[in-house]
Amino acid sequence: MSAGQGRGSRPVAGWLVGYRRGMLRGDVLGALTAWALIVPESVAYAQIAGVPPQNAFYAAPVALLVYALFGRSNFLVIGATSAAAVLSAAAVSEISGDPQDAVGLSAALAVVVGAVLLVAGIARLGFITNFLAEPALVGFLFGMALTIVVRQGAKLVGVPGGDGNFFERLWTILSKAPDWSLATLAVGASALALLLLLERFVPRLPAALIVLALALALSAVLDLKDHGVDIVGGIASAVPVPRLPGVPAEDWIALSAGALGVALVVFAEAFSIAGRFAREHGQEVDADREMAAVGLSNIAVGLVRGFVVSGSASRSAAAIGAGGRTPMVSLIAAGLILLTGAFLTPLFTDLPEPVLGAIVIVAVRGFMRVGELRRYAALDRRSLWVALTALVGVLLFDLLPGLLLAVALSLVLFISAAGRRDVAVLGRLPGTRLYADVAQHPDAATTAGVLAVRPDGSLFFGNVNRVRLAVRDQVARTDPPPRAVVLDLNSSYRLGIPVLDTLDELREELAGKDIALHLAHVRARAEQDLTRHALADRVGPYGLHRTVDDAVSAATGGPV
């Protein structure tokens, strides 16, 4: 298997052993493209996270290196992202509003988030992301993007952004319109327009790096600082050196609550990107191993004074478009960023703040998925309301409460969907001993005196009573009344005590009407649960059957 075909179960050896010289050219081009995006975005995302720009240069090469060694995706480029940065800032601000504390708290948060993901990955909990409903995530990310835009919008007009939620910050900016700096607005608007034009007409070029270089040149030539345009200022040389975050024990504990939500979104973002690109290239990504790899990356980043990292869709796509096909992209890009942090940070001194704001706004606009909301409106109004609720929750209550709302909505959707269990009436297909839903197969014939039914999913405590009521209603509608009810349990792999207790209630209700209960298709693990419950003795060995046909034959006195 070649490096471009898959990585198997081994992290490094899965791709490095099969690496061929012919892959190097594409990977070098992919690494250069990723570097061109990482450098300006890292500076911008550091500001979102509330830490000095050099901390982004500490984090970026370490994240790339660790993921290349332990990750399972050939195509994912990991590092600072807008979502991770803004969630980090939100979690840290809950502990302390002092900028002096931000570096240590951000690093500690990365370690805690990483530890949560590592432990969850080892415990094989990668399936958890399946319960973060896509509409809730769409709404949350849309609201997050709008929150970032309004925060960066203050930089584009040269006024303080204020505090509070989205609407309060927006009002602060608009109310200060007389104080807007025309020079700052011109620089920010020009950068924004140029970024959009470059992405529209020459998408293969690194638009962010081109705009950054032009902004630096113009800032030095025109001396924009003297015209009232804020600049980044001096950035210390950034060579990552291992160092503990250095925060007190109570802050570690306080960060843990927010870290759970941050970890969920960080991994959901990274895994969705890795999975999408893997499927496009005929591969699959193991959720548990990815969770552990992203966790290790965050732990390593936290130990060099970085902040939370995740997978980047824009950098991954750009690297693939340039020809990158293996994790060698990340290794080469890590080396380039190390050189940049060690020797080139003085070049960023004159970088105008409104240009950074424009870069961030363009980077997050992909989260504002208006088309997806329109699709929900046309096809699934329930999903639309879920997405809008999460979106408005973020705008009103800020990011972490909005995230908790999105998670809560996802759980409500899951429980609601799992709790809705209808039962299908079964009939025998002509010329066979197979039984099927009579609503879907009109030629399927029911058996006189026997009502055969099948729940449309697995039974658990949240839906079994609905099934009991549905069976009771079907019995009441059957004319003449049946002498036996056959319950097909083919979809239930486990039968917990609440399920068995409720089925025993159903048996007792039916017995009061001289109707026998027969159970069919009881799977091996479910049968073990059943044998430990009193229902097994009450149904008796003649009430348990391998197939629906066997159960119907037994109920009618025919051969089994």
Side-chain angles (χ1 to χ4, degrees):
M1 180 180 291
S2 72
Q5 291 176 312
R7 296 176 66 177
S9 60
R10 301 170 296 169
V12 181
W15 63 272
L16 194 55
V17 170
Y19 196 81
R20 299 192 302 272
R21 182 180 296 180
M23 300 174 182
L24 186 59
R25 181 179 179 276
D27 285 346
V28 169
L29 291 174
L32 287 169
T33 303
W35 169 82
L37 292 173
I38 290 170
V39 169
E41 289 180 356
S42 291
V43 177
Y45 295 154
Q47 292 200 336
I48 294 177
V51 301
Q54 61 265 26
N55 289 75
F57 287 107
Y58 296 149
V62 172
L64 289 166
L65 176 62
V66 172
Y67 184 81
L69 295 177
F70 296 100
R72 262 45 181 196
S73 170
N74 278 352
F75 307 103
L76 184 65
V77 176
I78 201 167
T81 67
S82 55
V86 76
L87 286 172
S88 176
V92 166
S93 66
E94 294 289 324
I95 311 301
S96 172
D98 187 349
Q100 300 298 320
D101 298 333
V103 171
L105 289 172
S106 298
L109 178 66
V111 172
V112 176
V113 167
V116 168
L117 291 175
L118 178 60
V119 171
I122 293 173
R124 304 188 68 80
L125 299 180
F127 68 89
I128 288 175
T129 56
N130 296 331
F131 299 107
L132 188 58
E134 182 68 16
L137 191 59
V138 167
F140 167 74
L141 292 176
F142 201 130
M144 183 201 71
L146 289 175
T147 300
I148 294 173
V149 167
V150 77
R151 290 179 179 180
Q152 298 304 308
K155 295 180 181 178
L156 266 62
V157 295
V159 296
D163 297 314
N165 63 29
F166 170 85
F167 299 103
E168 292 168 334
R169 288 175 179 269
L170 181 60
W171 174 247
T172 298
I173 295 172
L174 294 176
S175 64
K176 293 181 179 179
D179 301 325
W180 288 2
S181 165
L182 294 180
T184 301
L185 180 57
V187 171
S190 299
L192 197 59
L194 185 56
L195 284 165
L196 294 174
L197 287 172
L198 287 172
E199 287 198 3
R200 174 68 177 84
F201 295 106
V202 280
R204 297 184 71 88
L205 292 181
L209 188 63
I210 291 171
V211 170
L212 182 145
L214 288 173
L216 286 171
L218 289 174
S219 180
V221 171
L222 301 177
D223 204 4
L224 293 178
K225 183 180 180 181
D226 289 343
H227 290 82
V229 179
D230 291 335
I231 62 172
V232 171
I235 301 177
S237 295
V239 177
V241 176
R243 178 178 172 182
L244 294 175
V247 299
E250 58 268 24
D251 287 346
W252 285 94
I253 296 171
L255 285 168
S256 299
L260 294 174
V262 176
L264 179 62
V265 172
V266 162
F267 178 67
E269 181 182 29
F271 183 65
S272 64
I273 296 165
R276 187 176 81 220
F277 288 126
R279 288 189 296 272
E280 288 177 1
H281 293 82
Q283 300 176 13
E284 291 294 334
V285 180
D286 186 292
D288 301 316
R289 295 179 184 276
E290 277 298 287
M291 185 173 270
V294 175
L296 285 170
S297 299
N298 274 284
I299 291 172
V301 161
L303 295 178
V304 293
R305 293 172 292 167
F307 52 95
V308 177
V309 295
S310 182
S312 169
S314 59
R315 290 171 223 154
S316 300
I320 293 170
R325 289 294 180 271
T326 79
M328 186 64 75
V329 169
S330 292
L331 294 179
I332 297 171
L336 293 172
I337 296 165
L338 279 173
L339 293 174
T340 303
F343 303 110
L344 302 180
T345 53
L347 295 177
F348 299 99
T349 300
D350 293 325
L351 181 62
E353 291 276 7
V355 172
L356 279 181
I359 290 173
V360 172
I361 289 172
V362 171
V364 302
R365 81 184 193 285
F367 291 126
M368 295 183 280
R369 300 168 63 184
V370 176
E372 192 69 358
L373 295 182
R374 288 175 178 165
R375 190 168 72 94
Y376 291 158
L379 303 176
D380 187 353
R381 289 297 180 90
R382 181 174 179 162
S383 292
L384 174 66
W385 287 116
V386 170
L388 290 177
T389 301
L391 191 162
V392 174
V394 171
L395 299 184
L396 284 175
F397 306 116
D398 216 346
L399 289 166
L400 288 181
L403 172 60
L404 294 176
L405 178 61
V407 172
L409 284 172
S410 299
L411 290 176
V412 168
L413 280 178
F414 169 71
I415 293 170
S416 175
R420 288 195 304 271
R421 282 291 176 262
D422 295 324
V423 295
V425 176
L426 305 180
R428 185 171 178 173
L429 294 172
T432 73
R433 300 187 69 182
L434 301 177
Y435 281 73
D437 184 354
V438 296
Q440 294 181 329
H441 300 271
D443 57 338
T446 58
T447 302
V450 179
L451 173 64
V453 294
R454 181 183 64 218
D456 63 0
S458 180
L459 297 182
F460 77 110
F461 66 90
N463 62 30
V464 65
N465 194 57
R466 295 179 67 118
V467 169
R468 180 184 69 85
L469 295 175
V471 171
R472 193 178 69 180
D473 291 344
Q474 286 290 351
V475 168
R477 288 196 294 267
T478 303
D479 187 26
R483 299 188 306 275
V485 168
V486 174
L487 185 61
D488 182 359
L489 295 176
N490 185 52
S491 299
S492 296
Y493 292 84
R494 294 294 305 266
L495 295 174
I497 288 178
V499 172
L500 293 168
D501 286 346
T502 304
L503 293 181
D504 199 19
E505 284 182 45
L506 175 62
R507 179 204 60 78
E508 190 172 347
E509 290 178 8
L510 294 174
K513 300 176 182 178
D514 293 325
I515 300 173
L517 176 65
H518 294 258
L519 303 178
H521 277 142
V522 182
R523 294 185 175 272
R525 190 65 182 268
E527 189 172 3
Q528 292 177 16
D529 298 330
L530 177 62
T531 55
R532 293 193 291 266
H533 193 276
L535 178 62
D537 294 330
R538 290 166 183 164
V539 170
Y542 298 106
L544 295 178
H545 309 277
R546 290 184 299 107
T547 68
V548 174
D549 187 65
D550 289 347
V552 171
S553 296
T556 56
V560 178

